[in-house]
């Protein structure tokens, strides 16, 4: 089946969606232990959540990049995720979607969430011809994410290392079996146009 160029793919249930982030151990360890972000986690900064496990692996280098050694699977409420999507804008200007650059900049200033579409990745972290969502949360969205939406936080660094080890050992089929099952996430016609491919 041909993948559309833009689609949200994620591990999700009827009530939750799993997104990924990577942090230094001083943030990631306490977050996984306590099921919430520690005081050192800054609510006044933009935080990017990624529904794609392999895109997270690309971004954090399988948890080997400095400052991104702890990979977290953060299970959040779908109603919170969709709240952010409905209040999001694109991270870049697209003439077909914005009257002009100034209109996009006004939207950017008032939106608590930012959408970026980046190439999805394969097991070797090569880009694929379709894109995955990165969602930036700031202001009210970041506070709601940290304080209201989180259902659970799991340290999936061991999974990242195991999958990476199998890929390096030339066993992609075994590596693929370990990947989280990510399915298309349903978005209805009331969502902003920049989310519907």
């Amino acid at each position: 089946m041909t993948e559309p160029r833009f689609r949200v793919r994620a591990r999700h249930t009827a009530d939750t969606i799993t997104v990924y982030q990577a942090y230094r151990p001083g943030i990631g360890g306490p977050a996984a232990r306590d099921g919430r972000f520690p005081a050192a986690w800054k609510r006044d900064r933009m935080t990017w959540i990624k529904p794609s496990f392999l895109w997270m692996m690309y971004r954090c280098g399988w948890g080997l990049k400095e400052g991104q050694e702890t990979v977290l699977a953060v299970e959040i409420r779908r109603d919170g995720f969709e709240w952010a999507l409905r209040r999001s804008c694109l991270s870049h200007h697209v003439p077909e979607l914005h009257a002009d650059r100034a209109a996009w900049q006004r939207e950017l200033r008032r939106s608590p969430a930012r959408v970026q579409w980046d190439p999805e990745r394969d097991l070797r972290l090569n880009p694929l011809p379709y894109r995955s969502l990165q969602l930036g949360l700031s202001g009210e969205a970041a506070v709601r994410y940290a304080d209201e939406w989180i259902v659970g936080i799991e340290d999936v660094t061991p999974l990242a290392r195991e999958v990476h080890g199998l890929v390096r050992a030339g066993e992609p089929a075994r590596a693929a079996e370990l990947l989280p099952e990510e399915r298309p996430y349903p978005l209805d016609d009331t969502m902003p146009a920049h989310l519907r491919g």
Side-chain angles (χ1 to χ4, degrees):
M1 185 176 78
T2 305
E3 278 285 342
R5 185 157 185 244
F6 302 101
R7 173 185 268 173
V8 179
R9 297 168 206 81
R11 185 173 147 204
H12 56 88
T13 69
D15 302 310
T16 66
I17 178 171
T18 298
V19 295
Y20 299 94
Q21 297 192 284
Y23 291 99
R24 58 184 171 82
I27 297 281
R33 182 190 67 227
D34 300 332
R36 57 187 169 79
F37 289 110
W41 191 87
K42 302 297 184 195
R43 284 164 173 72
D44 57 353
R45 292 178 56 190
M46 179 165 285
T47 189
W48 289 88
I49 58 176
K50 303 152 185 73
S52 165
F53 179 80
L54 284 176
W55 203 92
M56 184 72 257
M57 295 306 99
Y58 166 72
R59 181 70 182 84
C60 71
W62 301 102
L64 299 173
K65 286 186 181 177
E66 185 177 355
Q68 300 185 61
E69 300 92 342
T70 306
V71 184
L72 301 177
V74 185
E75 189 178 14
I76 63 173
R77 291 171 21 203
R78 279 175 62 158
D79 61 349
F81 180 68
E82 291 175 16
W83 182 95
L85 292 180
R86 290 183 193 284
R87 290 159 179 80
S88 69
C89 72
L90 281 177
S91 62
H92 60 283
H93 174 243
V94 174
E96 296 80 19
L97 294 176
H98 307 108
D100 52 36
R101 185 169 288 275
W104 164 70
Q105 287 173 332
R106 284 193 299 274
E107 191 180 340
L108 196 65
R109 281 193 295 273
R110 69 171 178 260
S111 298
R114 202 166 289 185
V115 164
Q116 191 166 301
W117 292 103
D118 292 300
E120 179 58 289
R121 300 285 159 166
D122 65 15
L123 270 169
R124 296 195 178 279
L125 307 185
N126 296 312
L128 292 169
Y130 49 89
R131 294 182 174 250
S132 282
L133 173 78
Q134 274 45 258
L135 186 63
L137 306 175
S138 65
E140 184 182 0
V143 172
R144 284 174 177 255
Y145 170 64
D147 297 339
E148 299 175 18
W149 302 344
I150 294 174
V151 173
I153 302 178
E154 180 186 0
D155 183 347
V156 291
T157 312
L159 173 64
R161 300 282 163 77
E162 187 175 2
V163 173
H164 185 213
L166 288 169
V167 171
R168 292 184 65 193
E171 299 189 56
R174 284 185 62 202
E177 288 174 2
L178 298 177
L179 294 177
E181 183 191 352
E182 294 170 1
R183 299 173 288 119
Y185 186 90
L187 296 176
D188 62 36
D189 291 341
T190 67
M191 284 289 176
H194 58 257
L195 291 165
R196 293 179 272 120

